[in-house]
Every structure is written in structure tokens, then in C-alpha cells.
Amino acid sequence: MSPSPRSKTTSVRFWGVLLGLLFAITIIVPVVLAFWPRVTAANYARINIGMPMQDVEKMLGPHRYDDTEYGIIGKTGAYVTNSRLSDQEKLDRGFQLYRRLQWISPEITIVVIIDTNGLVATRYRSDGQGDFLFSW
């Protein structure tokens, strides 16, 4: 006994809908994730001292600012630089070489200080900033 034409139509419709959903998911999910905010207060709270820089970048995405400079981190985690001292004077006073990375969103600005081992030495935040893409 052969299947009825109605069951063939239902089967074709089912597979058509299923393939359509799979196609939509493979297109829509990456687009949504690409524009989903990653630089947020919640993600800032997840950054821990000693966390590898690669983990921070996975969580926040690409940084907007990157600088290497001599700085010193106080007992409270405050990060201090000094542009008036020579590099040797900085070293003599206990300054170390750090990498300062910055992420910006309308919600929050996140600055992470990375030590020479590639680990978070300290972090701080400030108010968000507008998107500079259209600010010319």
C-alpha cells in the first residue's frame, strides 16, 4: 500500500519548515550575537584579578585602546602613572611595565591593567561613552 498524497505533502511541508528554521537560525543567531552588548557592568563584575587577558578579551570582545606604560598599583588596586619621571626613575620607584586595555560602550567604560605575565593586575570602570562611529 502506497502512502497517500496527503502524507507526502505533509512530509514535504515538515522538512521544508525544518530546513527553513535551520537556515534562519544559522543566519539570525550569529547576527544577534555579533550585536549583543558585551561591554556591560555585569561582565565587568566577572573580571577578576589574576584572570588571563585572553579570557577577558573573549568575554568583552576586541578592545578599543591599547597602551604599554610604566605604572604602579597601590594596595587598594588604584593604578598610577607618572609622565614626568624618566623610565629609570620610574623603575627606581617601583613602577612596572603594564598594558592598559580599554573597552567602551554606552553603558560603561572598562579599563583593565595587564601585567607582563598576561594576567589582570587591576581593573576599573567609569561611565559609558557614546559610539564614536558616527561622531565625526
mmCIF file with all atom_site columns, all heavy atoms in Angstrom, residues 100-125:
data_model
loop_
_atom_site.group_PDB
_atom_site.id
_atom_site.type_symbol
_atom_site.label_atom_id
_atom_site.label_alt_id
_atom_site.label_comp_id
_atom_site.label_asym_id
_atom_site.label_entity_id
_atom_site.label_seq_id
_atom_site.pdbx_PDB_ins_code
_atom_site.Cartn_x
_atom_site.Cartn_y
_atom_site.Cartn_z
_atom_site.occupancy
_atom_site.B_iso_or_equiv
_atom_site.pdbx_formal_charge
_atom_site.auth_seq_id
_atom_site.auth_comp_id
_atom_site.auth_asym_id
_atom_site.auth_atom_id
_atom_site.pdbx_PDB_model_num
ATOM 1   N N   . ARG A 1 100 ? 47.653 48.612 29.281 1.00 0.00 ? 100 ARG A N   1
ATOM 2   C CA  . ARG A 1 100 ? 46.335 49.166 29.639 1.00 0.00 ? 100 ARG A CA  1
ATOM 3   C C   . ARG A 1 100 ? 45.395 48.982 28.450 1.00 0.00 ? 100 ARG A C   1
ATOM 4   O O   . ARG A 1 100 ? 45.622 49.501 27.368 1.00 0.00 ? 100 ARG A O   1
ATOM 5   C CB  . ARG A 1 100 ? 46.450 50.647 29.994 1.00 0.00 ? 100 ARG A CB  1
ATOM 6   C CG  . ARG A 1 100 ? 45.131 51.258 30.402 1.00 0.00 ? 100 ARG A CG  1
ATOM 7   C CD  . ARG A 1 100 ? 45.291 52.619 31.058 1.00 0.00 ? 100 ARG A CD  1
ATOM 8   N NE  . ARG A 1 100 ? 46.344 53.429 30.501 1.00 0.00 ? 100 ARG A NE  1
ATOM 9   C CZ  . ARG A 1 100 ? 46.141 54.570 29.833 1.00 0.00 ? 100 ARG A CZ  1
ATOM 10  N NH1 . ARG A 1 100 ? 44.923 55.008 29.612 1.00 0.00 ? 100 ARG A NH1 1
ATOM 11  N NH2 . ARG A 1 100 ? 47.162 55.268 29.383 1.00 0.00 ? 100 ARG A NH2 1
ATOM 12  N N   . LEU A 1 101 ? 44.334 48.215 28.658 1.00 0.00 ? 101 LEU A N   1
ATOM 13  C CA  . LEU A 1 101 ? 43.336 47.952 27.632 1.00 0.00 ? 101 LEU A CA  1
ATOM 14  C C   . LEU A 1 101 ? 42.023 48.615 28.025 1.00 0.00 ? 101 LEU A C   1
ATOM 15  O O   . LEU A 1 101 ? 41.662 48.640 29.202 1.00 0.00 ? 101 LEU A O   1
ATOM 16  C CB  . LEU A 1 101 ? 43.115 46.448 27.467 1.00 0.00 ? 101 LEU A CB  1
ATOM 17  C CG  . LEU A 1 101 ? 44.360 45.604 27.187 1.00 0.00 ? 101 LEU A CG  1
ATOM 18  C CD1 . LEU A 1 101 ? 44.001 44.129 27.139 1.00 0.00 ? 101 LEU A CD1 1
ATOM 19  C CD2 . LEU A 1 101 ? 45.016 46.040 25.899 1.00 0.00 ? 101 LEU A CD2 1
ATOM 20  N N   . GLN A 1 102 ? 41.305 49.117 27.034 1.00 0.00 ? 102 GLN A N   1
ATOM 21  C CA  . GLN A 1 102 ? 40.056 49.826 27.324 1.00 0.00 ? 102 GLN A CA  1
ATOM 22  C C   . GLN A 1 102 ? 38.963 49.381 26.362 1.00 0.00 ? 102 GLN A C   1
ATOM 23  O O   . GLN A 1 102 ? 39.185 49.244 25.167 1.00 0.00 ? 102 GLN A O   1
ATOM 24  C CB  . GLN A 1 102 ? 40.277 51.333 27.200 1.00 0.00 ? 102 GLN A CB  1
ATOM 25  C CG  . GLN A 1 102 ? 39.055 52.154 27.509 1.00 0.00 ? 102 GLN A CG  1
ATOM 26  C CD  . GLN A 1 102 ? 39.384 53.633 27.519 1.00 0.00 ? 102 GLN A CD  1
ATOM 27  O OE1 . GLN A 1 102 ? 40.415 54.032 28.036 1.00 0.00 ? 102 GLN A OE1 1
ATOM 28  N NE2 . GLN A 1 102 ? 38.514 54.436 26.955 1.00 0.00 ? 102 GLN A NE2 1
ATOM 29  N N   . TRP A 1 103 ? 37.774 49.169 26.932 1.00 0.00 ? 103 TRP A N   1
ATOM 30  C CA  . TRP A 1 103 ? 36.568 48.851 26.170 1.00 0.00 ? 103 TRP A CA  1
ATOM 31  C C   . TRP A 1 103 ? 35.532 49.923 26.458 1.00 0.00 ? 103 TRP A C   1
ATOM 32  O O   . TRP A 1 103 ? 35.417 50.388 27.592 1.00 0.00 ? 103 TRP A O   1
ATOM 33  C CB  . TRP A 1 103 ? 36.008 47.492 26.584 1.00 0.00 ? 103 TRP A CB  1
ATOM 34  C CG  . TRP A 1 103 ? 36.827 46.332 26.181 1.00 0.00 ? 103 TRP A CG  1
ATOM 35  C CD1 . TRP A 1 103 ? 36.645 45.539 25.086 1.00 0.00 ? 103 TRP A CD1 1
ATOM 36  C CD2 . TRP A 1 103 ? 37.962 45.774 26.855 1.00 0.00 ? 103 TRP A CD2 1
ATOM 37  N NE1 . TRP A 1 103 ? 37.599 44.551 25.038 1.00 0.00 ? 103 TRP A NE1 1
ATOM 38  C CE2 . TRP A 1 103 ? 38.407 44.677 26.123 1.00 0.00 ? 103 TRP A CE2 1
ATOM 39  C CE3 . TRP A 1 103 ? 38.653 46.113 28.027 1.00 0.00 ? 103 TRP A CE3 1
ATOM 40  C CZ2 . TRP A 1 103 ? 39.506 43.903 26.499 1.00 0.00 ? 103 TRP A CZ2 1
ATOM 41  C CZ3 . TRP A 1 103 ? 39.741 45.361 28.407 1.00 0.00 ? 103 TRP A CZ3 1
ATOM 42  C CH2 . TRP A 1 103 ? 40.163 44.262 27.647 1.00 0.00 ? 103 TRP A CH2 1
ATOM 43  N N   . ILE A 1 104 ? 34.764 50.293 25.445 1.00 0.00 ? 104 ILE A N   1
ATOM 44  C CA  . ILE A 1 104 ? 33.796 51.393 25.590 1.00 0.00 ? 104 ILE A CA  1
ATOM 45  C C   . ILE A 1 104 ? 32.434 50.928 25.095 1.00 0.00 ? 104 ILE A C   1
ATOM 46  O O   . ILE A 1 104 ? 32.319 50.270 24.064 1.00 0.00 ? 104 ILE A O   1
ATOM 47  C CB  . ILE A 1 104 ? 34.243 52.609 24.756 1.00 0.00 ? 104 ILE A CB  1
ATOM 48  C CG1 . ILE A 1 104 ? 35.593 53.124 25.249 1.00 0.00 ? 104 ILE A CG1 1
ATOM 49  C CG2 . ILE A 1 104 ? 33.203 53.719 24.806 1.00 0.00 ? 104 ILE A CG2 1
ATOM 50  C CD1 . ILE A 1 104 ? 36.223 54.153 24.329 1.00 0.00 ? 104 ILE A CD1 1
ATOM 51  N N   . SER A 1 105 ? 31.405 51.295 25.855 1.00 0.00 ? 105 SER A N   1
ATOM 52  C CA  . SER A 1 105 ? 30.027 51.102 25.406 1.00 0.00 ? 105 SER A CA  1
ATOM 53  C C   . SER A 1 105 ? 29.208 52.267 25.962 1.00 0.00 ? 105 SER A C   1
ATOM 54  O O   . SER A 1 105 ? 29.688 53.009 26.821 1.00 0.00 ? 105 SER A O   1
ATOM 55  C CB  . SER A 1 105 ? 29.471 49.769 25.911 1.00 0.00 ? 105 SER A CB  1
ATOM 56  O OG  . SER A 1 105 ? 29.111 49.845 27.272 1.00 0.00 ? 105 SER A OG  1
ATOM 57  N N   . PRO A 1 106 ? 27.981 52.443 25.502 1.00 0.00 ? 106 PRO A N   1
ATOM 58  C CA  . PRO A 1 106 ? 27.140 53.497 26.079 1.00 0.00 ? 106 PRO A CA  1
ATOM 59  C C   . PRO A 1 106 ? 26.860 53.276 27.574 1.00 0.00 ? 106 PRO A C   1
ATOM 60  O O   . PRO A 1 106 ? 26.618 54.214 28.304 1.00 0.00 ? 106 PRO A O   1
ATOM 61  C CB  . PRO A 1 106 ? 25.851 53.404 25.264 1.00 0.00 ? 106 PRO A CB  1
ATOM 62  C CG  . PRO A 1 106 ? 26.258 52.790 23.969 1.00 0.00 ? 106 PRO A CG  1
ATOM 63  C CD  . PRO A 1 106 ? 27.359 51.836 24.319 1.00 0.00 ? 106 PRO A CD  1
ATOM 64  N N   . GLU A 1 107 ? 26.925 52.027 28.016 1.00 0.00 ? 107 GLU A N   1
ATOM 65  C CA  . GLU A 1 107 ? 26.638 51.703 29.420 1.00 0.00 ? 107 GLU A CA  1
ATOM 66  C C   . GLU A 1 107 ? 27.829 51.932 30.343 1.00 0.00 ? 107 GLU A C   1
ATOM 67  O O   . GLU A 1 107 ? 27.685 52.413 31.461 1.00 0.00 ? 107 GLU A O   1
ATOM 68  C CB  . GLU A 1 107 ? 26.189 50.246 29.522 1.00 0.00 ? 107 GLU A CB  1
ATOM 69  C CG  . GLU A 1 107 ? 25.927 49.789 30.940 1.00 0.00 ? 107 GLU A CG  1
ATOM 70  C CD  . GLU A 1 107 ? 25.640 48.303 31.044 1.00 0.00 ? 107 GLU A CD  1
ATOM 71  O OE1 . GLU A 1 107 ? 25.425 47.631 30.006 1.00 0.00 ? 107 GLU A OE1 1
ATOM 72  O OE2 . GLU A 1 107 ? 25.631 47.803 32.182 1.00 0.00 ? 107 GLU A OE2 1
ATOM 73  N N   . ILE A 1 108 ? 29.024 51.564 29.881 1.00 0.00 ? 108 ILE A N   1
ATOM 74  C CA  . ILE A 1 108 ? 30.183 51.530 30.778 1.00 0.00 ? 108 ILE A CA  1
ATOM 75  C C   . ILE A 1 108 ? 31.479 51.618 29.973 1.00 0.00 ? 108 ILE A C   1
ATOM 76  O O   . ILE A 1 108 ? 31.537 51.176 28.826 1.00 0.00 ? 108 ILE A O   1
ATOM 77  C CB  . ILE A 1 108 ? 30.169 50.226 31.620 1.00 0.00 ? 108 ILE A CB  1
ATOM 78  C CG1 . ILE A 1 108 ? 31.242 50.214 32.702 1.00 0.00 ? 108 ILE A CG1 1
ATOM 79  C CG2 . ILE A 1 108 ? 30.257 49.002 30.733 1.00 0.00 ? 108 ILE A CG2 1
ATOM 80  C CD1 . ILE A 1 108 ? 31.132 49.038 33.671 1.00 0.00 ? 108 ILE A CD1 1
ATOM 81  N N   . THR A 1 109 ? 32.505 52.210 30.589 1.00 0.00 ? 109 THR A N   1
ATOM 82  C CA  . THR A 1 109 ? 33.868 52.155 30.060 1.00 0.00 ? 109 THR A CA  1
ATOM 83  C C   . THR A 1 109 ? 34.666 51.277 31.016 1.00 0.00 ? 109 THR A C   1
ATOM 84  O O   . THR A 1 109 ? 34.650 51.488 32.228 1.00 0.00 ? 109 THR A O   1
ATOM 85  C CB  . THR A 1 109 ? 34.486 53.562 29.984 1.00 0.00 ? 109 THR A CB  1
ATOM 86  O OG1 . THR A 1 109 ? 33.706 54.345 29.087 1.00 0.00 ? 109 THR A OG1 1
ATOM 87  C CG2 . THR A 1 109 ? 35.920 53.518 29.507 1.00 0.00 ? 109 THR A CG2 1
ATOM 88  N N   . ILE A 1 110 ? 35.340 50.280 30.468 1.00 0.00 ? 110 ILE A N   1
ATOM 89  C CA  . ILE A 1 110 ? 36.105 49.329 31.276 1.00 0.00 ? 110 ILE A CA  1
ATOM 90  C C   . ILE A 1 110 ? 37.580 49.459 30.924 1.00 0.00 ? 110 ILE A C   1
ATOM 91  O O   . ILE A 1 110 ? 37.944 49.431 29.743 1.00 0.00 ? 110 ILE A O   1
ATOM 92  C CB  . ILE A 1 110 ? 35.634 47.883 31.029 1.00 0.00 ? 110 ILE A CB  1
ATOM 93  C CG1 . ILE A 1 110 ? 34.156 47.732 31.423 1.00 0.00 ? 110 ILE A CG1 1
ATOM 94  C CG2 . ILE A 1 110 ? 36.514 46.888 31.778 1.00 0.00 ? 110 ILE A CG2 1
ATOM 95  C CD1 . ILE A 1 110 ? 33.567 46.377 31.065 1.00 0.00 ? 110 ILE A CD1 1
ATOM 96  N N   . VAL A 1 111 ? 38.421 49.608 31.947 1.00 0.00 ? 111 VAL A N   1
ATOM 97  C CA  . VAL A 1 111 ? 39.869 49.640 31.770 1.00 0.00 ? 111 VAL A CA  1
ATOM 98  C C   . VAL A 1 111 ? 40.445 48.469 32.566 1.00 0.00 ? 111 VAL A C   1
ATOM 99  O O   . VAL A 1 111 ? 40.131 48.297 33.738 1.00 0.00 ? 111 VAL A O   1
ATOM 100 C CB  . VAL A 1 111 ? 40.474 50.972 32.253 1.00 0.00 ? 111 VAL A CB  1
ATOM 101 C CG1 . VAL A 1 111 ? 41.988 50.952 32.120 1.00 0.00 ? 111 VAL A CG1 1
ATOM 102 C CG2 . VAL A 1 111 ? 39.864 52.136 31.489 1.00 0.00 ? 111 VAL A CG2 1
ATOM 103 N N   . VAL A 1 112 ? 41.274 47.688 31.895 1.00 0.00 ? 112 VAL A N   1
ATOM 104 C CA  . VAL A 1 112 ? 41.912 46.533 32.533 1.00 0.00 ? 112 VAL A CA  1
ATOM 105 C C   . VAL A 1 112 ? 43.415 46.703 32.393 1.00 0.00 ? 112 VAL A C   1
ATOM 106 O O   . VAL A 1 112 ? 43.922 46.965 31.304 1.00 0.00 ? 112 VAL A O   1
ATOM 107 C CB  . VAL A 1 112 ? 41.445 45.211 31.889 1.00 0.00 ? 112 VAL A CB  1
ATOM 108 C CG1 . VAL A 1 112 ? 42.150 44.030 32.516 1.00 0.00 ? 112 VAL A CG1 1
ATOM 109 C CG2 . VAL A 1 112 ? 39.932 45.056 32.012 1.00 0.00 ? 112 VAL A CG2 1
ATOM 110 N N   . ILE A 1 113 ? 44.117 46.565 33.500 1.00 0.00 ? 113 ILE A N   1
ATOM 111 C CA  . ILE A 1 113 ? 45.571 46.657 33.519 1.00 0.00 ? 113 ILE A CA  1
ATOM 112 C C   . ILE A 1 113 ? 46.125 45.235 33.558 1.00 0.00 ? 113 ILE A C   1
ATOM 113 O O   . ILE A 1 113 ? 45.786 44.452 34.443 1.00 0.00 ? 113 ILE A O   1
ATOM 114 C CB  . ILE A 1 113 ? 46.062 47.473 34.741 1.00 0.00 ? 113 ILE A CB  1
ATOM 115 C CG1 . ILE A 1 113 ? 45.372 48.837 34.808 1.00 0.00 ? 113 ILE A CG1 1
ATOM 116 C CG2 . ILE A 1 113 ? 47.570 47.593 34.729 1.00 0.00 ? 113 ILE A CG2 1
ATOM 117 C CD1 . ILE A 1 113 ? 45.576 49.712 33.588 1.00 0.00 ? 113 ILE A CD1 1
ATOM 118 N N   . ILE A 1 114 ? 46.983 44.928 32.576 1.00 0.00 ? 114 ILE A N   1
ATOM 119 C CA  . ILE A 1 114 ? 47.526 43.586 32.411 1.00 0.00 ? 114 ILE A CA  1
ATOM 120 C C   . ILE A 1 114 ? 49.013 43.600 32.756 1.00 0.00 ? 114 ILE A C   1
ATOM 121 O O   . ILE A 1 114 ? 49.758 44.471 32.294 1.00 0.00 ? 114 ILE A O   1
ATOM 122 C CB  . ILE A 1 114 ? 47.355 43.118 30.946 1.00 0.00 ? 114 ILE A CB  1
ATOM 123 C CG1 . ILE A 1 114 ? 45.884 43.197 30.507 1.00 0.00 ? 114 ILE A CG1 1
ATOM 124 C CG2 . ILE A 1 114 ? 47.928 41.729 30.735 1.00 0.00 ? 114 ILE A CG2 1
ATOM 125 C CD1 . ILE A 1 114 ? 44.958 42.242 31.205 1.00 0.00 ? 114 ILE A CD1 1
ATOM 126 N N   . ASP A 1 115 ? 49.458 42.632 33.564 1.00 0.00 ? 115 ASP A N   1
ATOM 127 C CA  . ASP A 1 115 ? 50.882 42.573 33.914 1.00 0.00 ? 115 ASP A CA  1
ATOM 128 C C   . ASP A 1 115 ? 51.682 41.870 32.814 1.00 0.00 ? 115 ASP A C   1
ATOM 129 O O   . ASP A 1 115 ? 51.128 41.442 31.799 1.00 0.00 ? 115 ASP A O   1
ATOM 130 C CB  . ASP A 1 115 ? 51.080 41.910 35.284 1.00 0.00 ? 115 ASP A CB  1
ATOM 131 C CG  . ASP A 1 115 ? 50.680 40.446 35.324 1.00 0.00 ? 115 ASP A CG  1
ATOM 132 O OD1 . ASP A 1 115 ? 50.557 39.805 34.256 1.00 0.00 ? 115 ASP A OD1 1
ATOM 133 O OD2 . ASP A 1 115 ? 50.488 39.923 36.435 1.00 0.00 ? 115 ASP A OD2 1
ATOM 134 N N   . THR A 1 116 ? 52.988 41.749 33.017 1.00 0.00 ? 116 THR A N   1
ATOM 135 C CA  . THR A 1 116 ? 53.863 41.163 31.989 1.00 0.00 ? 116 THR A CA  1
ATOM 136 C C   . THR A 1 116 ? 53.618 39.672 31.796 1.00 0.00 ? 116 THR A C   1
ATOM 137 O O   . THR A 1 116 ? 54.098 39.095 30.824 1.00 0.00 ? 116 THR A O   1
ATOM 138 C CB  . THR A 1 116 ? 55.343 41.410 32.335 1.00 0.00 ? 116 THR A CB  1
ATOM 139 O OG1 . THR A 1 116 ? 55.595 40.912 33.652 1.00 0.00 ? 116 THR A OG1 1
ATOM 140 C CG2 . THR A 1 116 ? 55.685 42.885 32.265 1.00 0.00 ? 116 THR A CG2 1
ATOM 141 N N   . ASN A 1 117 ? 52.893 39.035 32.697 1.00 0.00 ? 117 ASN A N   1
ATOM 142 C CA  . ASN A 1 117 ? 52.537 37.624 32.548 1.00 0.00 ? 117 ASN A CA  1
ATOM 143 C C   . ASN A 1 117 ? 51.218 37.439 31.790 1.00 0.00 ? 117 ASN A C   1
ATOM 144 O O   . ASN A 1 117 ? 50.742 36.311 31.641 1.00 0.00 ? 117 ASN A O   1
ATOM 145 C CB  . ASN A 1 117 ? 52.434 36.949 33.916 1.00 0.00 ? 117 ASN A CB  1
ATOM 146 C CG  . ASN A 1 117 ? 53.762 36.925 34.632 1.00 0.00 ? 117 ASN A CG  1
ATOM 147 O OD1 . ASN A 1 117 ? 54.789 36.643 34.025 1.00 0.00 ? 117 ASN A OD1 1
ATOM 148 N ND2 . ASN A 1 117 ? 53.757 37.240 35.910 1.00 0.00 ? 117 ASN A ND2 1
ATOM 149 N N   . GLY A 1 118 ? 50.594 38.548 31.374 1.00 0.00 ? 118 GLY A N   1
ATOM 150 C CA  . GLY A 1 118 ? 49.327 38.466 30.651 1.00 0.00 ? 118 GLY A CA  1
ATOM 151 C C   . GLY A 1 118 ? 48.121 38.267 31.538 1.00 0.00 ? 118 GLY A C   1
ATOM 152 O O   . GLY A 1 118 ? 47.069 37.819 31.083 1.00 0.00 ? 118 GLY A O   1
ATOM 153 N N   . LEU A 1 119 ? 48.263 38.631 32.828 1.00 0.00 ? 119 LEU A N   1
ATOM 154 C CA  . LEU A 1 119 ? 47.170 38.461 33.788 1.00 0.00 ? 119 LEU A CA  1
ATOM 155 C C   . LEU A 1 119 ? 46.637 39.818 34.243 1.00 0.00 ? 119 LEU A C   1
ATOM 156 O O   . LEU A 1 119 ? 47.383 40.798 34.291 1.00 0.00 ? 119 LEU A O   1
ATOM 157 C CB  . LEU A 1 119 ? 47.651 37.674 35.001 1.00 0.00 ? 119 LEU A CB  1
ATOM 158 C CG  . LEU A 1 119 ? 48.247 36.291 34.712 1.00 0.00 ? 119 LEU A CG  1
ATOM 159 C CD1 . LEU A 1 119 ? 48.801 35.683 35.981 1.00 0.00 ? 119 LEU A CD1 1
ATOM 160 C CD2 . LEU A 1 119 ? 47.218 35.387 34.056 1.00 0.00 ? 119 LEU A CD2 1
ATOM 161 N N   . VAL A 1 120 ? 45.358 39.858 34.613 1.00 0.00 ? 120 VAL A N   1
ATOM 162 C CA  . VAL A 1 120 ? 44.753 41.095 35.104 1.00 0.00 ? 120 VAL A CA  1
ATOM 163 C C   . VAL A 1 120 ? 45.413 41.472 36.432 1.00 0.00 ? 120 VAL A C   1
ATOM 164 O O   . VAL A 1 120 ? 45.426 40.691 37.379 1.00 0.00 ? 120 VAL A O   1
ATOM 165 C CB  . VAL A 1 120 ? 43.229 40.930 35.302 1.00 0.00 ? 120 VAL A CB  1
ATOM 166 C CG1 . VAL A 1 120 ? 42.629 42.160 35.972 1.00 0.00 ? 120 VAL A CG1 1
ATOM 167 C CG2 . VAL A 1 120 ? 42.542 40.643 33.969 1.00 0.00 ? 120 VAL A CG2 1
ATOM 168 N N   . ALA A 1 121 ? 45.976 42.690 36.468 1.00 0.00 ? 121 ALA A N   1
ATOM 169 C CA  . ALA A 1 121 ? 46.601 43.195 37.694 1.00 0.00 ? 121 ALA A CA  1
ATOM 170 C C   . ALA A 1 121 ? 45.611 44.047 38.485 1.00 0.00 ? 121 ALA A C   1
ATOM 171 O O   . ALA A 1 121 ? 45.610 44.031 39.710 1.00 0.00 ? 121 ALA A O   1
ATOM 172 C CB  . ALA A 1 121 ? 47.846 43.998 37.362 1.00 0.00 ? 121 ALA A CB  1
ATOM 173 N N   . THR A 1 122 ? 44.783 44.799 37.778 1.00 0.00 ? 122 THR A N   1
ATOM 174 C CA  . THR A 1 122 ? 43.709 45.575 38.395 1.00 0.00 ? 122 THR A CA  1
ATOM 175 C C   . THR A 1 122 ? 42.740 45.973 37.293 1.00 0.00 ? 122 THR A C   1
ATOM 176 O O   . THR A 1 122 ? 43.015 45.792 36.099 1.00 0.00 ? 122 THR A O   1
ATOM 177 C CB  . THR A 1 122 ? 44.239 46.814 39.159 1.00 0.00 ? 122 THR A CB  1
ATOM 178 O OG1 . THR A 1 122 ? 43.193 47.343 39.979 1.00 0.00 ? 122 THR A OG1 1
ATOM 179 C CG2 . THR A 1 122 ? 44.756 47.886 38.225 1.00 0.00 ? 122 THR A CG2 1
ATOM 180 N N   . ARG A 1 123 ? 41.614 46.511 37.690 1.00 0.00 ? 123 ARG A N   1
ATOM 181 C CA  . ARG A 1 123 ? 40.606 46.943 36.729 1.00 0.00 ? 123 ARG A CA  1
ATOM 182 C C   . ARG A 1 123 ? 39.838 48.102 37.322 1.00 0.00 ? 123 ARG A C   1
ATOM 183 O O   . ARG A 1 123 ? 39.771 48.248 38.538 1.00 0.00 ? 123 ARG A O   1
ATOM 184 C CB  . ARG A 1 123 ? 39.660 45.803 36.394 1.00 0.00 ? 123 ARG A CB  1
ATOM 185 C CG  . ARG A 1 123 ? 38.822 45.387 37.613 1.00 0.00 ? 123 ARG A CG  1
ATOM 186 C CD  . ARG A 1 123 ? 38.013 44.185 37.327 1.00 0.00 ? 123 ARG A CD  1
ATOM 187 N NE  . ARG A 1 123 ? 37.178 43.628 38.332 1.00 0.00 ? 123 ARG A NE  1
ATOM 188 C CZ  . ARG A 1 123 ? 36.397 44.206 39.213 1.00 0.00 ? 123 ARG A CZ  1
ATOM 189 N NH1 . ARG A 1 123 ? 36.353 45.497 39.326 1.00 0.00 ? 123 ARG A NH1 1
ATOM 190 N NH2 . ARG A 1 123 ? 35.639 43.527 40.043 1.00 0.00 ? 123 ARG A NH2 1
ATOM 191 N N   . TYR A 1 124 ? 39.294 48.928 36.463 1.00 0.00 ? 124 TYR A N   1
ATOM 192 C CA  . TYR A 1 124 ? 38.406 49.977 36.946 1.00 0.00 ? 124 TYR A CA  1
ATOM 193 C C   . TYR A 1 124 ? 37.430 50.346 35.857 1.00 0.00 ? 124 TYR A C   1
ATOM 194 O O   . TYR A 1 124 ? 37.567 49.952 34.708 1.00 0.00 ? 124 TYR A O   1
ATOM 195 C CB  . TYR A 1 124 ? 39.167 51.187 37.492 1.00 0.00 ? 124 TYR A CB  1
ATOM 196 C CG  . TYR A 1 124 ? 40.209 51.787 36.589 1.00 0.00 ? 124 TYR A CG  1
ATOM 197 C CD1 . TYR A 1 124 ? 39.917 52.877 35.779 1.00 0.00 ? 124 TYR A CD1 1
ATOM 198 C CD2 . TYR A 1 124 ? 41.511 51.292 36.563 1.00 0.00 ? 124 TYR A CD2 1
ATOM 199 C CE1 . TYR A 1 124 ? 40.882 53.448 34.971 1.00 0.00 ? 124 TYR A CE1 1
ATOM 200 C CE2 . TYR A 1 124 ? 42.472 51.853 35.754 1.00 0.00 ? 124 TYR A CE2 1
ATOM 201 C CZ  . TYR A 1 124 ? 42.148 52.926 34.960 1.00 0.00 ? 124 TYR A CZ  1
ATOM 202 O OH  . TYR A 1 124 ? 43.106 53.494 34.149 1.00 0.00 ? 124 TYR A OH  1
ATOM 203 N N   . ARG A 1 125 ? 36.416 51.093 36.244 1.00 0.00 ? 125 ARG A N   1
ATOM 204 C CA  . ARG A 1 125 ? 35.331 51.430 35.336 1.00 0.00 ? 125 ARG A CA  1
ATOM 205 C C   . ARG A 1 125 ? 34.957 52.888 35.477 1.00 0.00 ? 125 ARG A C   1
ATOM 206 O O   . ARG A 1 125 ? 35.267 53.531 36.475 1.00 0.00 ? 125 ARG A O   1
ATOM 207 C CB  . ARG A 1 125 ? 34.111 50.564 35.640 1.00 0.00 ? 125 ARG A CB  1
ATOM 208 C CG  . ARG A 1 125 ? 33.573 50.802 37.046 1.00 0.00 ? 125 ARG A CG  1
ATOM 209 C CD  . ARG A 1 125 ? 32.347 50.033 37.379 1.00 0.00 ? 125 ARG A CD  1
ATOM 210 N NE  . ARG A 1 125 ? 31.196 50.679 36.758 1.00 0.00 ? 125 ARG A NE  1
ATOM 211 C CZ  . ARG A 1 125 ? 29.970 50.212 36.772 1.00 0.00 ? 125 ARG A CZ  1
ATOM 212 N NH1 . ARG A 1 125 ? 29.715 49.083 37.390 1.00 0.00 ? 125 ARG A NH1 1
ATOM 213 N NH2 . ARG A 1 125 ? 28.998 50.839 36.196 1.00 0.00 ? 125 ARG A NH2 1
#
